[in-house]
Each structure stands twice: as structure tokens, then as C-alpha cells.
Amino acid sequence: MNEPVSAVSRFEFASGPLRGTQLALHPACLVHRSAHHVETLPLAGMTAVRVAFQRDTRKLGWGIALVVIALVMLAVAGPLGRFASGAAGEMATAGAQGVPGALHSFFRLLEALASGLPVAALGCVIIGGVLCALGWMGSTTLLVSLPGSERLYSTRGRDTLLLDFAESVSDRLMSLRR
């Protein structure tokens, strides 16, 4: 697309949910453009612009909780397996019919569950580690306030280019005559 007025500043989203789109600051408007849409926000209608880097404490919390759950699973797996194995052996000698037979099956199932706990703990550690990493990486978010609405533009990690772009938008807003 041809632009009638060249942009004062541009920012391309390289990561996050807006990857592949770009913001362009023109003398009188801010344009968000992607392959499928174009949104033009007049600078005169903007009431505020804010940019911030934040770590995702929710993901950090869930990641830490999953690692703690994995540790508990590993701590319980050994004793539970030994208990279930011993109890299943006692029930096997008591007889294969009636209540001892049902308890034997139950303790064998409990023993199988205990042997699967370390694998489940490994899965929890891996998922918890990924969540902790994503939470620690955080995101940089540009918030544009308009009368009656807001637009959020977010990118993964600490993005100094988005901070610089927000400063350009802020400078442009301050130079407007209202």
C-alpha cells in the first residue's frame, strides 16, 4: 500500500500475539497495520500513552507450584510403592478369593500408580520450568488511551525499541495543539 505521508517512526512486532504487524507514527495519527487489517488512531483523540515492562507473576507462581508438586510426588512415590508392594504380597498369601483378592488388586493398582509418579513428576518439572521462564521473560506493553476505549500492543520480553517508539508517540502528542 502506498502511504501519502511518510511515517515519523515505525515499530514492527517480532514476537508475541501481534507478531508480523507494525505500528507507524504519522504526523497526525498512529496506524496499526497487518496483512489483514489497518487501524488508524488520530493523535488528537488520544488521551494518554503508557508503556511498561512487566513480569508475569501468574505464570511464575504456577511454575513454582508445579515444581513443588513434582517434589512432593517424588517424595511420596518410594514409600507408597514399598507399602503397596508389601500389602499386595500379604493379600496374595491370604487368598485369591473375596476381600483378600479385591485388596490384592487394589494394592497392585496402587503400586502401579506409585511407579508412574516419577514420570508425572518429570512432566510437572518440565512444564513448571517453561512457565517460570515465560513468566520471568515478561512482556512490554504499549497502552493507548482513547475516549471510551483503550488499545493494547504487547510484545514478549523487555523491548527497548517499543519503549523508544512510545517515547516518539508521547513527544508527538505533547507537540500537538489542542
Side-chain angles (χ1 to χ4, degrees):
M1 288 173 72
N2 293 336
E3 297 179 12
V5 178
S6 64
V8 175
S9 181
R10 291 185 187 276
F11 177 78
E12 284 208 34
F13 290 94
S15 64
L18 296 174
R19 181 179 42 200
T21 66
Q22 73 172 356
L23 287 171
L25 175 62
H26 294 276
C29 62
L30 179 66
V31 178
H32 181 225
R33 183 182 314 256
S34 78
H36 305 289
H37 82 276
V38 174
E39 180 180 29
T40 303
L41 305 170
L43 292 177
M46 290 182 191
T47 57
V49 174
R50 180 177 75 99
V51 66
F53 167 74
Q54 296 176 343
R55 299 199 193 284
D56 192 345
T57 55
R58 178 176 281 169
K59 285 182 184 173
L60 276 170
W62 277 106
I64 291 168
L66 283 174
V67 170
V68 169
I69 289 170
L71 291 173
V72 169
M73 290 169 123
L74 285 174
V76 167
L80 182 63
R82 283 190 299 276
F83 167 74
S85 178
E90 288 178 18
M91 290 299 122
T93 60
Q97 299 273 324
V99 174
L103 284 174
H104 179 264
S105 298
F106 171 74
F107 287 127
R108 285 292 176 207
L109 179 67
L110 197 58
E111 186 179 12
L113 177 70
S115 68
L117 282 178
V119 175
L122 177 65
C124 284
V125 166
I126 291 171
I127 293 170
V130 168
L131 285 175
C132 283
L134 289 174
W136 187 258
M137 250 185 356
S139 64
T140 304
T141 303
L142 171 67
L143 172 80
V144 177
S145 296
L146 302 163
S149 69
E150 295 177 335
R151 298 291 189 273
L152 288 171
Y153 302 101
S154 184
T155 184
R156 197 174 302 134
R158 184 183 306 263
D159 196 337
T160 56
L161 294 175
L162 185 57
L163 294 169
D164 294 341
F165 181 80
E167 192 171 329
S168 298
V169 173
S170 177
D171 290 343
R172 192 75 192 146
L173 277 175
M174 288 188 289
S175 68
L176 281 178
R177 293 188 184 157
R178 299 210 181 223

